[in-house]
């Protein structure tokens, strides 16, 4: 089972992803962040293997967060989910 971190400023979207059947069968949600700055802190603590990432967020946007996360692990799998 892969460790997943969800990063989105919308609580509704974060909860929707958590409830997906795919998540329940193949992924374990280890962290959920409302912005990029929070995601960096949670990444350091939980080291997920897969991240879902919104692009438009306060404090630290998705693009800059992705760049920072890839400094920790260049093989990190990131799925961009943005409306």
């Amino acid at each position: 089972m892969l460790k997943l971190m969800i990063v989105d400023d919308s609580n509704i979207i974060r909860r929707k992803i958590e409830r997906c059947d795919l998540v329940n069968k193949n992924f374990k949600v280890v962290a959920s962040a409302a912005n990029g700055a929070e995601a960096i802190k949670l990444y350091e603590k939980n080291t997920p293997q897969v991240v879902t990432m919104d692009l438009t967020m306060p404090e630290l946007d998705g693009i800059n967060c992705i760049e920072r996360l890839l400094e920790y692990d260049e093989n990190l799998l990131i799925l961009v989910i943005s409306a």
Side-chain angles (χ1 to χ4, degrees):
M1 195 173 285
L2 294 172
K3 297 190 304 183
L4 171 69
M5 177 169 66
I6 302 166
V7 185
D8 198 300
D9 61 333
S10 168
N11 187 47
I12 294 168
I13 298 298
R14 289 194 314 270
R15 299 299 164 244
K16 186 102 170 147
I17 295 170
E18 285 177 1
R19 290 191 306 266
C20 288
D21 285 340
L22 180 65
V23 170
N24 294 329
K25 293 177 185 170
N26 300 310
F27 296 91
K28 177 183 179 187
V29 177
V30 296
S32 183
N35 60 61
E38 186 179 346
I40 299 299
K41 292 176 188 172
L42 289 171
Y43 179 85
E44 292 172 349
K45 185 184 289 186
N46 298 287
T47 58
Q49 299 157 297
V50 180
V51 174
T52 63
M53 180 70 66
D54 185 16
L55 293 180
T56 307
M57 296 178 292
E59 289 192 52
L60 182 64
D61 69 23
I63 298 295
N64 288 314
C65 183
I66 289 169
E67 290 172 352
R68 300 253 320 261
L69 290 174
L70 291 175
E71 290 175 9
Y72 289 102
D73 179 1
E74 64 184 26
N75 296 311
L76 180 64
L77 301 174
I78 301 172
L79 175 64
V80 175
I81 301 175
S82 193

